[in-house]
Amino acid sequence: MATLTRISSAATAVRVVCPTLDHMVTQVRYRKTINTRSKKHISVIKAKLLAVTKWKAPQDTRMTMAERCGLREERMQETVVQENPLRDLMAKEARHVLETSGMVAVLHISDFSGPDRRVFCAKLKESDITVRFWSNSVAGLAVQDTPYSTLTTLMVGMNMYAHSLNPQVAPLLKVLKVTPQVSLLGGLVDGLLMSKADMEHYAQLPSMEQCHGEVVSVLSAGVSQTSQLLQNPLQQLSRNLQQISSSA
Amino acid sequence: MATSTERFARIVYKNWPSNVFNPLTRVINKRMWRWTSGVTLKPTAKILVEFDPWLGPEKTISCRNTVRMFANQKARKTNPKCEITTKIKNDRSEPIINIEYTDGERLIFKSAHLHELEIMERYMKKCAEKDPEIKLPL
């Protein structure tokens, strides 16, 4: 709290009102020169007032050109899939076909319609192969959450799908040789994703029964050989005894 | 007519639905329609298209669409003698479109990063040089 000091001369005394003390006490500056150059500390109240009333620049909500162009790509990637119940139904049907058939072959076609297409479908029908057409969006939806989702790499352009209960790769390839407008891209055979070359190799493999027979013969070859070796000396002995008895 | 692929940028299977419902397809399809209606095979003798379908949809889409445009019934009627063959490879190599003209001249497109419209534009310009009767669509 400021106290009144002795005033030596009236000329030098300067009365300063102190606002914090409710104008009750006055501070007297008595020095020769009054210091006005060095900075005075701002009081707390004044500092708070200045902080509250400080000017803030208004936010610039305009987008830069770069941001606008960048946003377009993001928006293109975030396109919302509109609900289409017909497409969902077709995808459900396609998924059922994918799960129940032993072979689903993806065929690439270029302007294949009319009598050529009908003849092609009829030839495949003889071997119990059905040819269906699904658009890429429907086929992609059908394959999306299955373990065969890699098939979406083939779903570009115009595709037809040949499916059958049992894998009938050889008849399919036979018919495709005769139709140049259609080409085989790959497919799903016996739960395995195959390329064209794999399917051609699969067609050349022997039937399951033949393979079973070959395996059985290989396994039993060792057993039959050991039994033959064991029986050989006895057979030899019996032959020799027979010869002796006949000569005698 | 655009010459750079940026104008035909398409997002194919980065996020699956977006390529199917790409807003740019409408713009592209209008131009495609104009070019597909005027495709001629008169000066060509052979077209061989080789691609590996398992390489990826982004690289094979343009090659497959050009085959569709060449093998169109209207285009085939212009020259029934022209042989169009597709060869499907299994070695993850880039797609190639090999066009052989009747003079013996060859035009090879490495179509991995080309759009089908660019391929058709280049092909038709070459055809127009050989046969002055062929008119290019505007």
Side-chain angles (χ1 to χ4, degrees):
Chain A
M1 194 158 142
T3 53
L4 283 167
T5 52
R6 203 163 182 173
I7 298 160
S8 55
S9 66
T12 55
V14 176
R15 281 182 189 275
V16 176
V17 174
C18 184
T20 50
L21 300 170
D22 293 328
H23 309 271
M24 293 294 283
V25 177
T26 55
Q27 194 178 11
V28 181
R29 289 195 207 160
Y30 58 92
R31 293 207 183 111
K32 252 191 182 176
T33 52
I34 297 158
N35 182 12
T36 53
R37 290 248 174 123
S38 65
K39 288 202 174 173
K40 212 167 110 177
H41 292 295
I42 305 169
S43 65
V44 173
I45 289 171
K46 189 177 179 182
K48 278 183 185 175
L49 205 70
L50 283 172
V52 163
T53 55
K54 195 172 183 184
W55 180 75
K56 279 182 192 172
Q59 274 184 353
D60 196 358
T61 49
R62 293 178 303 174
M63 255 198 299
T64 57
M65 183 84 113
E67 279 173 347
R68 246 186 286 145
C69 296
L71 263 180
R72 199 204 167 111
E73 272 226 36
E74 283 173 26
R75 273 186 209 147
M76 272 166 61
Q77 294 210 7
E78 288 166 6
T79 44
V80 175
V81 181
Q82 285 173 356
E83 280 184 23
N84 190 343
L86 178 64
R87 189 177 61 225
D88 295 336
L89 183 72
M90 288 160 81
K92 210 175 169 185
E93 199 187 335
R95 193 173 285 188
H96 175 74
V97 163
L98 184 82
E99 283 164 2
T100 51
S101 42
M103 177 189 82
V104 176
V106 184
L107 309 169
H108 163 72
I109 54 167
S110 47
D111 199 21
F112 190 53
S113 61
D116 293 335
R117 186 167 171 161
R118 268 178 262 140
V119 165
F120 175 74
C121 293
K123 278 183 186 172
L124 288 177
K125 198 75 188 171
E126 289 168 15
S127 330
D128 295 326
I129 300 170
T130 328
V131 176
R132 290 289 300 269
F133 173 77
W134 285 297
S135 70
N136 290 327
S137 52
V138 168
L141 265 176
V143 155
Q144 216 175 6
D145 296 319
T146 57
Y148 316 118
S149 55
T150 336
L151 275 172
T152 47
T153 46
L154 301 179
M155 278 155 201
V156 150
M158 192 83 148
N159 286 335
M160 277 209 309
Y161 302 90
H163 63 91
S164 65
L165 272 173
N166 304 314
Q168 304 269 2
V169 181
L172 176 69
L173 290 171
K174 211 175 166 184
V175 176
L176 284 173
K177 258 191 189 177
V178 185
T179 43
Q181 300 105 312
V182 185
S183 36
L184 177 66
L185 298 177
L188 185 72
V189 181
D190 265 344
L192 291 167
L193 283 170
M194 290 190 185
S195 63
K196 189 185 176 187
D198 294 336
M199 288 177 91
E200 283 167 355
H201 182 69
Y202 181 91
Q204 286 165 4
L205 291 173
S207 68
M208 207 55 150
E209 288 84 18
Q210 254 182 300
C211 294
H212 284 160
E214 279 176 18
V215 166
V216 165
S217 65
V218 163
L219 289 171
S220 61
V223 170
S224 61
Q225 212 175 15
T226 45
S227 73
Q228 217 176 6
L229 280 168
L230 289 169
Q231 284 171 5
N232 219 8
L234 281 171
Q235 283 174 351
Q236 196 73 30
L237 178 68
S238 71
R239 262 185 253 130
N240 291 339
L241 286 171
Q242 259 185 337
Q243 266 186 339
I244 291 164
S245 64
S246 62
S247 63
Chain B
M1 191 63 204
T3 48
S4 67
T5 41
E6 285 167 15
R7 294 227 357 233
F8 298 115
R10 62 183 151 203
I11 300 155
V12 185
Y13 289 115
K14 268 184 200 169
N15 300 306
W16 177 75
S18 62
N19 77 307
V20 177
F21 309 108
N22 191 337
L24 276 176
T25 45
R26 247 174 271 149
V27 171
I28 292 166
N29 287 341
K30 265 189 201 171
R31 286 197 172 158
M32 287 267 284
W33 185 247
R34 267 183 240 156
W35 282 89
T36 48
S37 56
V39 169
T40 51
L41 297 172
K42 272 186 188 166
T44 46
K46 275 187 195 175
I47 298 172
L48 173 66
V49 179
E50 303 174 341
F51 66 95
D52 182 358
W54 295 101
L55 178 66
E58 290 162 342
K59 294 190 177 177
T60 52
I61 188 170
S62 51
C63 145
R64 285 181 73 172
N65 283 337
T66 41
V67 165
R68 274 178 68 193
M69 286 159 84
F70 280 134
N72 207 14
Q73 271 190 4
K74 257 190 181 178
R76 267 191 279 168
K77 273 180 188 173
T78 55
N79 187 2
K81 289 182 184 176
C82 180
E83 297 170 19
I84 304 166
T85 44
T86 46
K87 190 180 165 189
I88 287 154
K89 300 185 281 189
N90 197 27
D91 49 2
R92 308 292 174 270
S93 54
E94 308 271 306
I96 298 169
I97 300 169
N98 201 332
I99 300 169
E100 207 178 298
Y101 291 97
T102 44
D103 339 351
E105 199 178 333
R106 273 191 172 184
L107 189 61
I108 297 170
F109 288 103
K110 292 183 183 177
S111 60
H113 300 287
L114 287 174
H115 193 278
E116 54 261 27
L117 275 171
E118 289 171 323
I119 297 170
M120 292 313 293
E121 183 198 27
R122 188 77 183 85
Y123 165 75
M124 289 302 289
K125 275 186 181 171
K126 199 84 184 178
C127 288
E129 281 170 26
K130 296 198 183 282
D131 196 350
E133 289 176 359
I134 291 168
K135 285 179 193 171
L136 293 174
L138 291 162

